[in-house]
Amino acid sequence: MPISLHSAVVPTMLQVLGAGHGWIDKAKAHGLSEEALASGCLIEDMLPFAYQIKSMAHHSKGAIEGLRAGVFGPDMADPPTSYEGLHAKLTEAEEFLRALDPEELDSLVDDPMRFEFKELKVPFTTTDFLLSFSQPNFFFHATTAYGILRAGGVPLGKFDYLGVMRTSQA
């Protein structure tokens, strides 16, 4: 039985977006100030935690909006820098994905679209865009956000990264 594009992408994004709330809460409980949380990074030439959270939302909600529009590009807006703002960014993406009609997403399979940034224009099909560009970027930013907190001493483990898994009831 073939898997739908919606099933291949949306539930796992929701899982990791939900986990992101737990990372933020643990950072707060660990005593990280909002400034330290938002500006934390792994190395000087890498973008900070707040950007990573913003990018998780952009490569989930923003990616679907890009499919609808036929074009996707980076979100150049400043990221939120407060605990509340970071949670809101994740929640906005979660609510969008939960409201997404699976049939709508699946109806877009293999439509043409492109990634654009300045002069760069990369053509994709919607399926290849989600599975080879946005989904890997989503996980890159999630892993980087998690790594920033771990490097900062926040007591996170693998199950914190995974969030609530979809398990069988058997």
Side-chain angles (χ1 to χ4, degrees):
M1 175 167 111
I3 186 169
S4 73
L5 187 57
H6 184 278
S7 294
V9 174
V10 173
T12 304
M13 285 181 169
L14 283 168
Q15 177 181 333
V16 177
L17 288 165
H21 288 289
W23 311 338
I24 295 166
D25 290 341
K26 282 201 170 185
K28 184 176 184 179
H30 185 67
L32 280 184
S33 69
E34 288 181 329
E35 181 181 342
L37 174 66
S39 65
C41 59
L42 291 174
I43 192 164
E44 302 82 37
D45 69 346
M46 226 174 173
L47 291 164
F49 181 83
Y51 179 88
Q52 306 305 328
I53 294 296
K54 176 186 85 161
S55 294
M56 288 171 62
H58 189 56
H59 281 285
S60 54
K61 176 187 180 219
I64 303 303
E65 291 172 333
L67 297 183
R68 288 173 173 164
V71 64
F72 176 87
D75 177 358
M76 302 307 285
D78 290 336
T81 57
S82 66
Y83 289 115
E84 182 179 299
L86 292 165
H87 277 299
K89 184 57 78 174
L90 294 174
T91 298
E92 177 186 352
E94 289 172 304
E95 288 173 353
F96 176 89
L97 291 176
R98 283 191 187 99
L100 181 63
D101 180 357
E103 290 180 13
E104 177 195 359
L105 182 55
D106 292 337
S107 75
L108 300 173
V109 167
D110 295 329
D111 284 354
M113 70 154 312
R114 68 191 176 285
F115 171 79
E116 290 185 359
F117 182 62
K118 298 181 181 178
E119 291 80 39
L120 179 66
K121 293 178 181 10
V122 182
F124 287 100
T125 65
T126 52
T127 302
D128 289 340
F129 169 77
L130 279 179
L131 297 179
S132 74
F133 184 82
S134 259
Q135 194 175 53
N137 269 284
F138 173 84
F139 286 114
F140 171 84
H141 293 294
T143 302
T144 302
Y146 174 88
I148 288 168
L149 296 182
R150 287 284 294 140
V154 176
L156 296 171
K158 186 181 243 181
F159 284 106
D160 294 303
Y161 179 84
L162 293 174
V164 179
M165 297 174 282
R166 297 176 310 277
T167 60
S168 68
Q169 299 301 317

